[in-house]
Amino acid sequence: MPHCKIHNVRFYKPEPLAVRGMALQTSGKKLAVSRSNGTIEIWNLNNIWFIERTIAPTVDNFSVEGIAWSKNRLFSVGLHGLLIEYDLYKLTVKSRAAVTGESAFCLDINKNKIAVGTEQGTKSTSKKFLDKQEGRIICLKFDTTGEFVVTGSIDAIRVWSVESGHAIHKMTLGRSESNKPTIVWCLEVANDFTVITGDSRGKLTVWDGKVGSQLESYQSHKADILALCLSDDHKSLYCAGVDPNIINYVKISVKEGSEKWVKSIQRKIHEHDVNALVVCDNKLYSGGMDGYLACSFHPPKTLLKVPPILQNPCVQLAAEARCLMLRYSKYVEVWSLGRSENVEASFRGMLSLRDEPKKLLALQRVSKDYSGDEEQEGVNCSCMSDDGKWIMFSTCKGIRLFRFVYVDEKPNLLRVDDLENKHIPCVQAVFTPNSSQLILAPNNGGLVIYDLKDDRASVNKILEITDIKDTITFLTTSSCGKYLIIEYDIKKRQYTEFSRHLEAHLPEQWKSRSYPIRNITFDPRVDHIIIFQDDSNIIVINKEKHIK
């Protein structure tokens, strides 16, 4: 192994973002995960589960309290009182609609009907309003027919007729203490109109939604149950919450043809509150306050956990400038790397630093909300040229390009104001290795290549890549600057022969991997080597060797 210096970077401290909610699109096996800062991640569960795309929060305090799919459309509600639809191609907000002018906490969708629970108990479904109730609606679900909505609030569960707008049943819960209300945090509705609720007493309760009566009740947890989910066949359910133990109940047949829910297995996957549970293909996905997204299943007994991560790349090295760019959810930082004492080439071990790492600058974009107050915008992507002289970052409002000069420990930043297409946000960006060009993947598709010279940037070409029908979520260039991954020949405007061959002849060991690719780089010494990195391995591909 060649002699090299390894920098242990301890100054990158992104805030761990809790998982607030999850919603599964069953047809495409896409899992939408909402985070505590308003970020939404779209995970692809078809093969190896991975983040397919990330929608950054548009501004500060952007709230996602409830999230749901309607076929290929994704919606959310929050404390802002808006029903929001997202553009999954442009990775931004597509439309906003006021619900009632009050905070909203939950929503559910059944075909073309949307139900929203708000602060004052108003529920809207399609363009109708159901009768108002006293108190906040904390959770709700449609039945499978879409004719009824079941809501959970303080001390009560109600069943509503969508057609009439009236509550046809009200089920009252008991209290563990007379002066302490019972909060229904979560509920599910099974195919046979069985309603299952989890509440602040730690009790799991089963109700007959047709007649509004209680069937069973279990002291499942020691504290609040915050999350419930049913299996695909509705014969198994999982629950968890402040008491993070995930408990499985299964439905069994008992005498005289009746059925009963029985406790099956129990697992402790998370150390803190579990806020969301989803089952897909008999695999349980869970998330909560610790920020980890976990996938567990058996047989065989398997647990995979992924820490909260930003969409790649969130860390970028400008090797020539000895600088490091660190991306956070709402700003970026640039640090200079530390320098060590001079030692002999044969030295092995820890080196003391002559110069400590130093934060050179922090960049953010601020806009004004409806009241005129300033708020930070979420960062979609960022990059820095290898010579450290160019910095770019994008938010939902557009891109910012800067000329950066660092002389005698004095940083100087000059914004390029006359940049073409600066109001179009981009989802990925990269500088070429010689720092002469900037390649952007705008959220409206294709690629834009800018030539960089002195303090100016001008559009060299705009590429419409007809073969790519979806959002570009990862972008890098070869050391020679000729190829763009998926390996795409910029001059010929088409995939390379290697790229087409690799897609058709993927090795079996590649297909059996458990983690997705996180990073791609090239060997600057040879053109035929591509290096990939995932959560557990570094993979080297030699383009000159035959792929069986």
Side-chain angles (χ1 to χ4, degrees):
M1 180 178 178
H3 177 64
C4 62
K5 294 180 181 179
I6 300 175
H7 296 260
N8 188 358
V9 177
R10 297 182 178 180
F11 45 83
Y12 186 37
K13 299 178 180 179
E15 178 186 359
L17 301 174
V19 173
R20 293 296 301 274
M22 296 194 296
L24 178 67
Q25 182 207 39
T26 54
S27 59
K29 295 183 182 178
K30 302 292 178 66
L31 181 67
V33 177
S34 63
R35 298 279 179 176
S36 54
N37 72 335
T39 297
I40 294 178
E41 302 164 354
I42 309 298
W43 290 73
N44 189 317
L45 308 183
N46 281 282
N47 297 297
I48 299 173
W49 56 314
F50 66 96
I51 293 183
E52 190 174 81
R53 62 199 74 203
T54 300
I55 304 174
T58 54
V59 291
D60 272 343
N61 302 318
F62 186 80
S63 169
V64 178
E65 300 297 318
I67 189 168
W69 291 92
S70 175
K71 296 182 180 178
N72 295 323
R73 301 168 67 186
L74 182 65
F75 296 84
S76 78
V77 293
L79 301 181
H80 40 64
L82 301 174
L83 174 65
I84 292 178
E85 181 180 359
Y86 297 91
D87 189 318
L88 299 181
Y89 181 82
K90 294 184 177 181
L91 305 183
T92 187
V93 171
K94 183 177 181 179
S95 64
R96 295 179 173 89
V99 180
T100 61
E102 300 160 345
S103 298
F105 299 95
C106 53
L107 86 159
D108 193 30
I109 300 176
N110 184 291
K111 297 179 180 177
N112 63 337
K113 300 173 183 176
I114 299 178
V116 179
T118 70
E119 179 69 41
Q120 297 300 322
T122 304
K123 292 75 60 184
S124 62
T125 171
S126 298
K127 296 182 179 179
K128 298 179 66 174
F129 288 87
L130 307 184
D131 290 346
K132 187 176 181 179
Q133 73 168 56
E134 292 298 326
R136 175 187 304 176
I137 290 181
I138 298 166
C139 56
L140 58 76
K141 290 286 182 180
F142 278 102
D143 76 320
T144 53
T145 67
E147 297 177 5
F148 302 96
V149 176
V150 183
T151 64
S153 54
I154 295 176
D155 288 330
I157 300 116
R158 292 176 174 84
V159 179
W160 304 80
S161 168
V162 174
E163 181 64 28
S164 67
H166 304 314
I168 59 174
H169 298 302
K170 178 182 178 182
M171 295 93 89
T172 304
L173 293 90
R175 293 186 173 187
S176 56
E177 300 176 23
S178 59
N179 62 344
K180 185 178 181 180
T182 298
I183 304 172
V184 181
W185 290 115
C186 53
L187 63 85
E188 287 286 347
V189 182
N191 292 332
D192 59 358
F193 213 159
T194 298
V195 178
I196 305 156
T197 62
D199 61 46
S200 57
R201 301 171 299 172
K203 284 196 174 184
L204 183 75
T205 309
V206 182
W207 312 81
D208 187 335
K210 297 175 183 177
V211 298
S213 63
Q214 179 178 315
L215 300 177
E216 306 168 57
S217 183
Y218 305 94
Q219 188 63 53
S220 177
H221 288 70
K222 297 177 183 178
D224 306 42
I225 298 176
L226 303 177
L228 279 173
C229 73
L230 286 166
S231 62
D232 297 334
D233 59 6
H234 287 205
K235 293 184 178 180
S236 174
L237 70 89
Y238 296 87
C239 57
V242 176
D243 175 354
N245 289 317
I246 299 176
I247 299 178
N248 176 227
Y249 287 82
V250 295
K251 186 187 287 187
I252 63 170
S253 298
V254 293
K255 60 182 180 179
E256 299 179 358
S258 60
E259 295 179 322
K260 184 178 181 180
W261 289 95
V262 176
K263 183 178 179 180
S264 177
I265 60 173
Q266 174 176 319
R267 297 191 68 181
K268 187 173 182 180
I269 295 174
H270 302 270
E271 296 297 326
H272 303 286
D273 302 13
V274 176
N275 295 328
L277 297 169
V278 164
V279 172
C280 179
D281 292 339
N282 294 319
K283 295 179 180 179
L284 176 67
Y285 296 87
S286 58
M289 292 301 295
D290 61 8
Y292 282 82
L293 184 64
C295 174
S296 56
F297 56 90
H298 67 88
K301 189 175 181 180
T302 305
L303 173 61
L304 301 171
K305 295 180 72 174
V306 178
I309 54 176
L310 291 170
Q311 184 78 349
N312 282 339
C314 54
V315 177
Q316 184 186 358
L317 174 66
E320 184 181 337
R322 293 182 53 81
C323 289
L324 201 63
M325 170 178 275
L326 308 176
R327 181 163 68 85
Y328 294 81
S329 60
K330 294 187 179 72
Y331 62 95
V332 295
E333 291 181 350
V334 176
W335 289 69
S336 64
L337 291 175
R339 295 181 182 272
S340 64
E341 299 290 347
N342 294 325
V343 294
E344 297 293 331
S346 59
F347 178 84
R348 299 290 186 273
M350 298 290 291
L351 298 176
S352 58
L353 290 180
R354 183 180 75 242
D355 300 317
E356 294 286 338
K358 181 180 179 181
K359 183 165 75 171
L360 304 180
L361 58 89
L363 286 171
Q364 66 183 41
R365 181 166 174 169
V366 177
S367 61
K368 296 193 180 225
D369 61 15
Y370 298 111
S371 62
D373 294 332
E374 290 188 346
E375 51 190 2
Q376 288 177 266
E377 299 175 10
V379 177
N380 297 332
C381 68
S382 62
C383 60
M384 186 175 189
S385 63
D386 195 59
D387 61 6
K389 295 179 179 179
W390 296 95
I391 295 173
M392 192 286 311
F393 74 95
S394 174
T395 71
C396 64
K397 300 289 182 67
I399 60 177
R400 287 284 188 268
L401 179 64
F402 299 89
R403 179 74 166 171
F404 180 54
V405 180
Y406 182 57
V407 180
D408 297 331
E409 298 189 357
K410 293 180 181 179
N412 184 25
L413 201 63
L414 177 64
R415 193 170 83 180
V416 180
D417 287 320
D418 58 348
L419 187 67
E420 298 177 65
N421 302 320
K422 66 180 180 181
H423 298 299
I424 301 176
C426 69
V427 293
Q428 286 293 319
V430 64
F431 289 96
T432 53
N434 60 7
S435 305
S436 65
Q437 290 183 319
L438 169 63
I439 303 174
L440 299 181
N443 68 359
N444 58 2
L447 294 171
V448 179
I449 302 175
Y450 290 87
D451 287 333
L452 308 174
K453 187 175 182 181
D454 298 328
D455 297 334
R456 299 182 61 83
S458 57
V459 174
N460 176 292
K461 64 182 67 174
I462 298 176
L463 301 177
E464 295 183 5
I465 306 177
T466 56
D467 291 339
I468 299 178
K469 304 295 185 183
D470 207 346
T471 307
I472 296 174
T473 56
F474 197 86
L475 192 67
T476 189
T477 60
S478 62
S479 56
C480 63
K482 294 181 180 179
Y483 301 110
L484 188 69
I485 293 301
I486 299 171
E487 196 170 69
Y488 187 86
D489 192 312
I490 296 175
K491 291 185 177 180
K492 294 182 179 180
R493 302 190 180 191
Q494 63 183 19
Y495 293 126
T496 63
E497 182 180 349
F498 162 76
S499 185
R500 296 179 187 276
H501 182 74
L502 179 63
E503 184 179 7
H505 300 85
L506 286 173
E508 287 301 320
Q509 63 267 32
W510 181 272
K511 297 179 182 179
S512 63
R513 292 165 45 253
S514 299
Y515 297 100
I517 291 298
R518 298 280 184 215
N519 213 339
I520 305 173
T521 189
F522 296 86
D523 189 332
R525 299 166 297 181
V526 286
D527 291 340
H528 59 271
I529 296 295
I530 305 176
I531 303 171
F532 299 88
Q533 169 250 322
D534 64 16
D535 290 344
S536 60
N537 298 287
I538 294 177
I539 305 105
V540 179
I541 291 183
N542 189 333
K543 293 165 56 178
E544 293 185 348
K545 289 190 176 181
H546 179 67
I547 300 176
K548 297 181 180 180

